């Protein structure tokens, strides 16, 4: 059903855009190809009864406990075999145990090397001693790790063991040492690192935002030619994830072409990451992402839930609500089919009772977001309120956003209060607070936005984003003095105003017809070394556009590009059209719109509303019926509607 839905999706006619990669399993799937050997478990085992396939890995890279934040420990002057033999009485059934032939060098805190725990911890090989143990500090751990790298101990490990060690090291604060080890291996004359090790290094660089290193590793692997170090499908997937996270969707698709030229078949994870990268490239990138369905069909790959989730994201960018909805229904049908098959197997005498498959929360989150993007927040609200909908922090946050788009702040507030009272299961995040503030902003409830911000201030230090949204709510309601007060509170709390903060304040002044204060704030922004964006200049244009000062608006549009290098966006062009309409320069308004289209700027819904108003006002303005009819026809064709119910036309 997913394959049929993907095939039936309507291609995008648009030729003019996120999320992050969808590759599940992270580094472990990209690079951890080698499986982990089973280890003996249980208490009362001597060292002879304990085995570990990763015995040569320095202990600093193996966790001692996968629960809580326990200390890693160093064994003074004896082998781990002896320590295990001496401490077998203290071994617990809750852990996997392993041993090593090497004397202990160091072991570090689990919080330092393993990084933050996930809800489902990765199985690890464990070396634990219960006698003669001393706790090491994080500084000692870092020093020991650096010493191991400098001495070449890690580089001397076999590829499988080295790959495991680099994965652990890449999760901790000493992750940069992964690159030092890789550089040592590249410089070695006897043997270069294989594709699994290199892919691990590339994945670590991608997760840490080291895009230059990501490209460096990929270039090195390509130069090695066919063989043990050549890029694999997992390598390309990790690379696509990394560059896609930075919004470089064109580079992601270039990597996909290289993968094809190398004769490598992409996996479903590759397609998922590539589609998400394309969705971050606006409508052009999203169109390329949606077209990948044909390639998947050629590879005989059926879209799974992660791919369906990514496609829904792309369809949301393209504004194709029907395709997004079709994909959601297909994914739901696939889940129901698997559940029915499991029940049939149980009825036929299956020994195991099938576990009920839970709906994928991310899939529904993407659909809620896509519905809002497509101007269908009502559909998002309807799906959220349906039976069996997975209620998580993420889906509830998306629902709050949808309710805000529907002008249903009461329902958004009700859901938000429920989340705050549900404990950890639905605990609101920073994004949730922002969504609730945004719902108040869109619905004109500036007092409630300010009240919520005050509650967040009492609970801690809100991020700059929360102040910005609350200030925007005040500004849109014409309460520029309240926006000034919030800026003062923000500085009082130690938060530093950003360019977004100043842009919001400038817009508040513009809506309050305080052009003088808007210009003063703009100068203050530049003096602080902050770079203005298109929203900043829209704020500067609000006051003159309202009073019909077209000349000032056009001067600001030229000024932003020539002086600050900011290209006018559709919002800037819209303000110029609004100014022309306000000063009854209706033909000029049409000329501005046509110049916008020639400049390659795509009109939005606000543009359509403005042109409709220009056409109506223009038809009423012209006394000559022929001129009025000609003007009305011109505007109607530009707007793309059959006609306008306005005056004499």
């Amino acid at each position: 059903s997913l394959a049929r839905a993907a095939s039936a999706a309507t291609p995008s006619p648009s030729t003019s855009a996120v999320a992050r990669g969808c590759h599940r399993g992270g580094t472990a799937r990209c690079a951890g190809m080698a499986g982990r050997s089973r280890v003996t478990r249980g208490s009362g085992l001597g060292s002879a009864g304990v085995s570990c396939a990763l015995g040569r890995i320095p202990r600093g890279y193996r966790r001692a406990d996968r629960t809580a934040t326990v200390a890693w420990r160093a064994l003074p002057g004896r082998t781990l075999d002896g320590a295990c033999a001496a401490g077998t009485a203290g071994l617990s059934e809750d852990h996997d145990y392993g041993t090593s032939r090497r004397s202990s060098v160091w072991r570090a805190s689990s919080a330092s090397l393993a990084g933050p725990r996930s809800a489902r911890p990765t199985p690890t090989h464990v070396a634990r001693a219960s006698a003669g143990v001393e706790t090491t500090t994080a500084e000692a751990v870092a020093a020991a790790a650096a010493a191991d790298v400098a001495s070449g101990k890690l580089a001397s490990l076999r590829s499988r063991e080295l790959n495991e060690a680099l994965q652990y090291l890449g999760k901790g604060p000493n992750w940069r040492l992964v690159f030092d080890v890789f550089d040592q291996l590249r410089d070695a004359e006897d043997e270069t690192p294989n594709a699994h090790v290199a892919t691990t290094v590339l994945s670590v660089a991608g997760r840490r935002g080291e895009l230059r290193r990501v490209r460096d590793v990929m270039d090195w692997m390509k130069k090695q030619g066919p063989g043990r170090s050549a890029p694999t499908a997992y390598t390309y997937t990790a690379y696509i994830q990394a560059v896609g996270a930075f919004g470089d969707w064109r580079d992601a698709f270039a990597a996909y072409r290289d993968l094809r030229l190398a004769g490598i078949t992409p996996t479903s994870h590759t397609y998922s990451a590539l589609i998400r990268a394309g969705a971050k490239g606006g409508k052009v990138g999203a169109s390329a992402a949606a077209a990948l369905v044909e390639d998947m069909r050629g590879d005989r790959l059926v879209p799974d839930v992660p791919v369906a989730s990514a496609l829904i994201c792309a369809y949301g960018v393209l504004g194709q609500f029907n395709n997004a909805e079709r994909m959601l229904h297909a994914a739901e049908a696939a889940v129901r089919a698997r559940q029915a098959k499991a029940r049939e197997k149980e009825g036929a005498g299956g020994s195991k009772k099938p576990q009920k498959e839970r709906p994928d929360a991310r899939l529904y989150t993407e659909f809620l977001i896509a519905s809002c993007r497509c101007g269908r927040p009502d559909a998002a609200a309807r799906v959220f309120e349906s039976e069996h909908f997975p209620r998580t922090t993420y889906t509830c946050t998306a629902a709050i956003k949808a309710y805000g788009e529907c002008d249903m702040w009461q329902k958004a507030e009700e859901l938000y209060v429920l989340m705050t009272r549900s404990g950890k299961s639905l605990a609101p995040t920073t994004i949730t607070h922002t969504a609730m503030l945004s719902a108040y902003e869109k619905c004109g409830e500036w007092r409630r936005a300010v009240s919520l911000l005050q509650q967040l201030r009492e609970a801690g230090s809100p991020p700059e984003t929360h102040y910005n949204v609350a200030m925007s709510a005040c500004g849109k309601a014409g309460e520029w003095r309240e926006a000034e007060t919030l800026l003062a509170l923000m500085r009082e709390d130690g938060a530093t105003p950003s360019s977004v903060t100043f842009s919001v304040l400038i817009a508040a002044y513009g809506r309050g017809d305080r052009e003088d204060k808007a210009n003063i704030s703009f100068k203050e922004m530049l003096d602080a070394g902050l770079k203005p964006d298109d929203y900043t200049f829209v704020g500067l244009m609000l006051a003159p556009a309202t009073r019909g000062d077209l000349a000032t608006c056009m001067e600001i549009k030229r000024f932003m590009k020539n002086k600050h290098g900011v290209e006018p966006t559709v919002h800037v062009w819209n303000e110029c059209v609004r100014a022309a309409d306000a000063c009854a320069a209706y033909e000029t308004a049409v000329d501005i719109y046509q110049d916008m289209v020639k400049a390659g700027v795509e009109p939005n819904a606000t543009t359509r509303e403005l042109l409709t108003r220009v056409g109506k006002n223009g038809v009423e303005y012209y006394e000559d019926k022929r001129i009025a009819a000609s003007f009305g026809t011109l505007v109607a064709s530009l707007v793309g509607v059959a006609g306008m119910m306005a005056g004499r036309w």
Side-chain angles (χ1 to χ4, degrees):
S1 57
L2 276 172
R4 288 194 297 272
S7 302
T10 306
S12 170
S14 172
T15 57
S16 54
V18 156
R20 64 186 175 206
C22 186
H23 175 64
R24 294 193 170 185
T27 306
R29 293 201 181 207
C30 281
M33 295 291 294
R36 296 184 176 130
S37 301
R38 300 170 68 91
V39 296
T40 308
R41 300 185 62 177
S43 59
L45 297 173
S47 60
V50 184
S51 63
C52 179
L54 304 177
R56 295 181 61 196
I57 295 182
R59 290 180 185 78
Y61 306 101
R62 308 215 311 267
R63 294 201 295 257
D65 198 329
R66 32 183 168 148
T67 62
T69 51
V70 298
W72 288 74
R73 308 176 183 280
L75 302 178
R78 56 174 172 166
T79 65
L80 188 57
D81 287 335
C84 287
T88 51
L91 297 181
S92 168
E93 291 285 353
D94 296 331
H95 303 285
D96 293 344
Y97 302 102
T99 186
S100 171
R101 297 191 184 97
R102 299 180 58 176
S103 61
S104 176
V105 179
W106 54 275
R107 308 179 79 182
S109 94
S110 60
S112 298
L113 283 181
R117 296 273 195 271
S118 63
R120 184 178 180 183
T122 304
T124 59
H125 291 280
V126 182
R128 176 182 174 184
S130 56
V133 173
E134 295 180 359
T135 302
T136 59
T137 63
E139 291 77 10
V141 169
D148 274 356
V149 172
S151 64
K153 287 183 179 179
L154 284 183
S156 66
L157 295 176
R158 292 191 297 267
S159 294
R160 179 178 176 181
E161 301 167 353
L162 175 62
N163 192 44
E164 184 90 5
L166 292 179
Q167 288 183 44
Y168 290 154
L169 189 59
K171 296 176 183 177
N174 304 314
W175 54 271
R176 290 188 180 277
L177 295 177
V178 171
F179 307 145
D180 296 337
V181 175
F182 183 71
D183 291 339
Q184 289 179 4
L185 294 169
R186 286 199 301 185
D187 296 338
E189 298 179 357
D190 52 348
E191 189 177 18
T192 57
N194 65 16
H196 300 320
V197 172
T199 300
T200 294
V201 176
L202 190 151
S203 299
V204 171
R207 290 198 307 269
R208 300 294 181 172
E210 294 285 335
L211 191 58
R212 184 193 63 79
R213 174 67 73 164
V214 168
R215 290 182 168 134
D216 177 62
V217 173
M218 177 59 89
D219 290 343
W220 177 85
M221 295 179 73
K222 289 180 178 179
K223 290 177 182 178
Q224 303 310 301
R228 67 191 302 270
S229 300
T232 65
Y234 301 96
T235 311
Y236 280 105
T237 300
Y239 183 84
I240 290 170
Q241 284 179 320
V243 298
F246 276 83
D248 196 347
W249 69 274
R250 296 183 186 277
D251 193 5
F253 274 81
Y256 174 70
R257 288 192 293 272
D258 292 342
L259 175 146
R260 286 293 188 182
L261 291 174
I264 300 173
T265 302
T267 67
S268 62
H269 298 303
T270 310
Y271 280 114
S272 176
L274 190 59
I275 292 169
R276 288 198 175 276
K280 293 184 177 181
K283 292 196 173 182
V284 176
S287 297
L292 290 171
V293 172
E294 292 297 327
D295 291 3
M296 293 189 67
R297 185 184 298 111
D299 293 329
R300 297 185 177 181
L301 281 175
V302 177
D304 54 11
V305 172
V307 172
S309 177
L311 282 171
I312 288 175
C313 179
Y315 292 143
V317 174
L318 293 171
Q320 298 177 3
F321 173 77
N322 290 336
N323 285 342
E325 188 177 44
R326 185 181 296 115
M327 188 59 61
L328 174 68
H329 292 164
E332 291 175 330
V335 171
R336 288 193 296 269
R338 285 195 297 268
Q339 291 175 343
K341 188 175 181 180
R343 286 193 296 269
E344 290 177 2
K345 188 175 181 181
E346 181 190 15
S351 57
K352 292 184 179 179
K353 184 177 181 179
Q355 295 183 351
K356 186 175 181 180
E357 186 173 353
R358 298 182 62 186
D360 188 86
R362 187 173 188 183
L363 176 75
Y364 284 96
T365 303
E366 292 291 0
F367 179 75
L368 298 183
I369 296 173
S371 298
C372 293
R373 281 178 170 173
C374 297
R376 292 293 306 276
D378 57 320
R382 185 173 61 253
V383 169
F384 178 78
E385 294 169 358
S386 63
E387 190 178 5
H388 305 307
F389 185 88
R391 295 208 171 193
T392 67
T393 297
Y394 301 105
T395 57
C396 289
T397 299
I400 289 174
K401 174 179 172 59
Y403 283 136
E405 297 282 353
C406 292
D407 201 21
M408 300 167 64
W409 63 266
Q410 296 93 337
K411 284 198 171 185
E413 185 178 71
E414 180 182 342
L415 180 57
Y416 178 78
V417 172
L418 174 65
M419 294 178 68
T420 59
R421 297 175 179 175
S422 298
K424 293 183 179 180
S425 59
L426 288 178
T429 64
T430 300
I431 300 176
T432 311
H433 302 315
T434 305
M436 189 65 247
L437 288 168
S438 297
Y440 287 142
E441 176 207 23
K442 293 181 184 299
C443 299
E445 296 291 329
W446 67 272
R447 289 185 177 85
R448 291 182 177 273
V450 173
S451 177
L452 176 57
L453 179 63
Q454 183 59 36
Q455 295 177 31
L456 296 174
R457 291 182 67 229
E458 293 172 358
S461 299
E464 169 221 336
T465 309
H466 292 169
Y467 288 97
N468 293 343
V469 178
M471 289 172 60
S472 178
C474 296
K476 289 182 178 180
E479 299 290 337
W480 57 268
R481 291 183 179 83
E482 290 290 339
E484 282 184 334
T485 302
L486 292 181
L487 177 62
L489 291 176
M490 179 181 180
R491 286 170 167 160
E492 180 183 320
D493 291 342
T496 303
S498 67
S499 58
V500 176
T501 310
F502 278 102
S503 297
V504 168
L505 183 62
I506 291 170
Y509 287 140
R511 289 188 175 91
D513 197 22
R514 294 305 306 266
E515 188 176 359
D516 54 338
K517 283 183 169 289
N519 290 326
I520 292 173
S521 292
F522 180 69
K523 184 178 184 304
E524 183 182 355
M525 175 184 180
L526 297 180
D527 292 342
L530 299 174
K531 182 178 176 61
D533 58 10
D534 68 306
Y535 187 59
T536 311
F537 294 102
V538 169
L540 291 174
M541 297 169 73
L542 286 174
T546 301
R547 65 172 182 267
D549 190 349
L550 178 60
T552 299
C553 290
M554 297 299 290
E555 179 60 29
I556 291 174
K557 186 173 78 70
R558 287 189 292 268
F559 174 75
M560 64 182 290
K561 182 176 181 179
N562 299 334
K563 181 74 179 290
H564 296 279
V566 180
E567 289 290 336
T569 63
V570 63
H571 310 294
V572 174
W573 287 97
N574 284 346
E575 287 304 309
C576 293
V577 173
R578 190 166 72 90
D581 177 54
C583 67
Y586 303 118
E587 293 183 356
T588 303
V590 173
D591 292 339
I592 292 172
Y593 168 76
Q594 292 176 326
D595 290 343
M596 179 186 77
V597 175
K598 290 178 182 178
V601 179
E602 185 177 352
N604 59 12
T606 303
T607 314
R608 182 189 180 100
E609 293 173 3
L610 287 170
L611 280 178
T612 302
R613 190 167 66 195
V614 166
K616 179 179 179 179
N617 294 339
V619 169
E620 293 176 347
Y621 177 78
Y622 294 112
E623 294 183 358
D624 187 283
K625 292 185 178 181
R626 288 176 299 176
I627 297 177
S630 299
F631 182 77
T633 303
L634 171 63
V635 175
S637 64
L638 294 177
V639 176
V641 295
M644 294 184 182
M645 299 301 296
R648 294 181 298 273
W649 177 72

